[in-house]
Amino acid sequence: MKKNKKLIILLASLLLLAGCGSKTSNQPAKSTTTNESTKNTGENAFPTFEANDFEGNAVDNSLFSKNAVTVVNFWFNGCDPCVEELPKLNALNEKLKKKGAELIGINVEAGNGETVLKESKKILEKQGATYRNLYFSNKSSLLEYSSKLEGFPTTFLIDRNGNIVGDPILGSIDDEDSLKKVNQRIDEIIAKDKTK
Amino acid sequence: MDKKSKISAIRHFFQKRNTIQAIATMLTNIHLPNFLKGTIYKGNLKTVCVPGLNCYSCPGATGSCPIGAFQAVVGSSKFQFSYYITGILIFFGVILGRFICGFLCPFGWFQDLLYKIPFKKLSTKKLKPLRYLKYVILVVMVCLLPVLVTNSLGMGRPFFCKYICPQGVLEGAIPLSLASSNVRSALGNLFAFKGIILTVVIVISILFYRPFCKWFCPLGAFYSLFNKVSLLHYRVDENKCKSCGKCAKTCKMDVDIIKSSTHPECIRCGECIKACPTNAISVQWKLEKMKKEGNKHEKE
């Protein structure tokens, strides 16, 4: 009996250990740097950042102001599901362009040197992804931000003011269902943008 | 230490197996607050593998899973083989053999606990051929498929982790999805499929003793190859043995230690040591043996 009791306590503690739910937000910590032109320090603001696109042009948060929605997809070269979804994302971007929206990729490892950047470009080319992609240096706020992401790929929907709208999408957007949901969310943000 | 007190110390150690397994599981998953946060530790220690089967994606995980890490490396487009992880595995195997399964593996402990649930218990003696399945899983799912089945960019998938490993669901997907709504919304058919695998493993672990270790675990399969050479090993003193057969009867891994003290299925759980009425079975370090033999030679 004593043995059974011990066992029940053990099992219960194991279940608790595995089952502790929490309301803690899992959104990555917001960056605190505010020395750049777009000073959006709101609750859901995408971190203030400086990066480069794959052509070498400097890019910062001002890119969000050009579109009603910017879809930001975090990925890296060795991530199989990220690479697999690139063609789907490219097709999505073609549709978005007509709506006044844009999809950009942020490769979290392409800033590690010319070789990695070249490999990233090769992957994009092979997968037929022509949309804009960014890389960042070790000093960028995006380094810490991306290291706190729950997994890859993670995709954010960002409005004209640089705010993250809704929850980030964890995992690939590769089936009809998830694509439909994302499109719906994008349309809602565009509709809101028009009423302003 | 004289011989008698050494034997009682060894017996005492094996009686504490449950506690040692609990401590090992704790140390393997040291970052407990991460269970509440729903995040994974990604620091420097993650470049090192733990000895047991313990998912990298467990919020508490201290290090990487050797089986997961191996597949991640061989599956990448840059490598065909992982010398680093194979080296770590050989190191663990040469020192401890399947003692790791018996004492250090969190999933082994999980199955031990499930088997303690009072319910009908079935023998696995007639299911011995299933033991070979774990070697097939090791070769096909862990070594071959991640290298051979690749996309156009030469990238493979961690087949065992992705499609089989129940420890990944138990330690990774379940706690992470409970703590994070983002992870929850990412769950799909694969999670359902692996949830079924985990459920089946749980149910059969209540009925049979350690079915996953016996039939499916690629890590156990790997370590089993080292039972013959591992520094930690069992020895049967033929002068003391009365051939009463109590050791074979008590062994839940279906091993007859008298026939083979280095049997690949032996997880060094020590049940036979406890059962032996004449203290004929003992644990030894090969180094000790070598030292003794060396001393003998010197004297001669």
Side-chain angles (χ1 to χ4, degrees):
Chain A
M1 198 56 207
K2 208 178 157 195
K3 226 176 171 185
N4 277 354
K5 226 178 190 179
K6 239 176 159 181
L7 174 72
I8 289 166
I9 294 170
L10 256 172
L11 281 175
S13 56
L14 201 78
L15 273 178
L16 264 178
L17 206 71
C20 277
S22 155
K23 285 188 179 118
T24 326
S25 160
N26 290 291
Q27 289 207 353
K30 306 288 180 278
S31 166
T32 46
T33 32
T34 50
N35 57 343
E36 286 159 43
S37 54
T38 324
K39 280 187 189 170
N40 186 342
T41 51
E43 176 73 0
N44 293 320
F46 191 79
T48 311
F49 73 94
E50 277 173 349
N52 286 85
D53 66 20
F54 275 22
E55 268 77 56
N57 307 309
V59 183
D60 61 20
N61 297 58
S62 61
L63 77 93
F64 298 130
S65 64
K66 290 176 186 128
N67 289 295
V69 189
T70 310
V71 180
V72 175
N73 172 258
F74 281 89
W75 69 291
F76 66 93
N77 298 353
C79 163
D80 177 44
C82 304
V83 172
E84 291 288 314
E85 75 167 348
L86 292 175
K88 293 261 165 70
L89 293 182
N90 196 61
L92 177 65
N93 185 49
E94 293 304 313
K95 277 186 195 162
L96 290 182
K97 274 194 219 160
K98 290 169 200 159
K99 290 183 187 173
E102 186 190 4
L103 186 142
I104 60 163
I106 299 183
N107 187 305
V108 298
E109 61 175 346
N112 289 342
E114 203 51 45
T115 337
V116 191
L117 180 63
K118 256 188 195 161
E119 194 189 306
S120 315
K121 283 180 183 171
K122 216 169 108 187
I123 292 172
L124 288 170
E125 200 188 309
K126 265 203 167 167
Q127 295 294 79
T130 55
Y131 56 86
R132 192 144 58 130
N133 261 275
L134 313 182
Y135 68 91
F136 52 81
S137 75
N138 287 342
K139 286 172 197 150
S140 174
S141 60
L142 288 177
L143 183 69
E144 198 202 335
Y145 190 74
S146 59
S147 74
K148 286 183 178 163
L149 294 176
E150 289 170 316
F152 288 91
T154 292
T155 308
F156 291 91
L157 304 183
I158 294 159
D159 70 10
R160 196 182 290 279
N161 302 319
N163 290 318
I164 297 165
V165 185
D167 286 331
I169 302 143
L170 183 62
S172 331
I173 309 168
D174 53 0
D175 58 289
E176 284 305 311
D177 196 42
S178 49
L179 206 62
K180 209 173 138 187
K181 273 186 201 157
V182 171
N183 270 314
Q184 243 170 21
R185 282 175 62 180
I186 291 168
D187 289 342
E188 277 167 25
I189 304 167
I190 293 174
K192 243 189 194 172
D193 185 72
K194 275 180 187 161
T195 57
K196 275 176 192 168
Chain B
M1 202 187 279
D2 63 35
K3 218 171 182 186
K4 254 190 183 169
S5 61
K6 199 177 167 190
I7 287 169
S8 80
I10 289 171
R11 282 192 175 217
H12 191 67
F13 178 78
F14 284 106
Q15 258 140 21
K16 288 250 159 87
R17 191 161 74 98
N18 207 36
T19 316
I20 296 163
Q21 285 174 298
I23 294 168
T25 302
M26 234 16 161
L27 289 176
T28 311
N29 296 287
I30 201 83
H31 303 282
L32 293 180
N34 283 357
F35 280 97
L36 297 174
K37 289 187 235 159
T39 52
I40 303 170
Y41 163 72
K42 292 177 191 162
N44 288 338
L45 262 180
K46 270 282 172 76
T47 54
V48 181
C49 295
V50 294
L53 192 78
N54 195 81
C55 190
Y56 175 97
S57 294
C58 176
T62 315
S64 290
C65 172
I67 290 294
F70 182 89
Q71 289 170 89
V73 175
V74 300
S76 85
S77 54
K78 289 176 201 147
F79 306 98
Q80 297 290 309
F81 190 75
S82 173
Y83 294 98
Y84 169 59
I85 293 151
T86 313
I88 290 183
L89 282 175
I90 292 174
F91 174 73
F92 287 145
V94 164
I95 292 181
L96 297 170
R98 284 193 85 178
F99 172 87
I100 293 162
C101 309
F103 278 80
L104 306 178
C105 178
F107 203 65
W109 185 48
F110 178 63
Q111 288 169 88
D112 277 355
L113 293 177
L114 289 170
Y115 192 72
K116 286 184 181 178
I117 293 173
F119 200 76
K120 198 177 162 62
K121 302 297 166 193
L122 303 170
S123 162
T124 48
K125 277 199 173 115
K126 283 189 180 146
L127 300 167
K128 279 182 187 170
L130 282 176
R131 286 170 172 176
Y132 297 105
L133 191 58
K134 62 177 174 291
Y135 299 99
V136 177
I137 291 175
L138 172 65
V139 173
V140 177
M141 303 298 281
V142 178
C143 300
L144 292 180
L145 290 183
V147 179
L148 299 177
V149 182
T150 56
N151 63 16
S152 57
L153 292 147
M155 292 158 75
R157 271 164 286 165
F159 275 81
F160 176 75
C161 296
K162 196 168 178 180
Y163 300 110
I164 296 182
C165 189
Q167 178 72 318
V169 185
L170 179 72
E171 285 192 326
I174 292 176
L176 280 177
S177 61
L178 283 171
S180 156
S181 59
N182 295 332
V183 175
R184 251 192 325 273
S185 55
L187 300 178
N189 292 339
L190 194 58
F191 175 71
F193 172 69
K194 288 191 67 191
I196 294 169
I197 292 186
L198 175 65
T199 313
V200 171
V201 169
I202 288 175
V203 171
I204 61 172
S205 300
I206 298 171
L207 299 170
F208 301 107
Y209 183 69
R210 290 203 182 214
F212 188 78
C213 305
K214 280 175 181 159
W215 305 327
F216 308 115
C217 184
L219 191 56
F222 189 86
Y223 289 144
S224 79
L225 305 174
F226 292 87
N227 263 6
K228 282 219 177 332
V229 293
S230 63
L231 294 182
L232 184 135
H233 69 286
Y234 279 11
R235 201 181 77 90
V236 181
D237 188 337
E238 284 169 14
N239 299 325
K240 283 185 184 173
C241 177
K242 294 191 300 183
S243 303
C244 65
K246 275 191 182 157
C247 48
K249 214 180 263 175
T250 199
C251 180
K252 295 203 277 270
M253 295 302 285
D254 309 325
V255 172
D256 186 351
I257 189 103
I258 305 299
K259 282 187 190 152
S260 163
S261 63
T262 57
H263 196 282
E265 289 301 303
C266 173
I267 57 166
R268 323 276 207 226
C269 66
E271 290 301 321
C272 54
I273 296 179
K274 281 195 265 171
C276 181
T278 59
N279 296 330
I281 309 164
S282 57
V283 186
Q284 292 202 329
W285 276 99
K286 277 209 176 122
L287 283 176
E288 228 170 79
K289 203 173 143 194
M290 282 190 258
K291 232 189 198 169
K292 274 182 194 164
E293 276 169 11
N295 286 342
K296 246 190 221 169
H297 286 300
E298 266 173 34
K299 275 177 194 169
E300 279 164 17

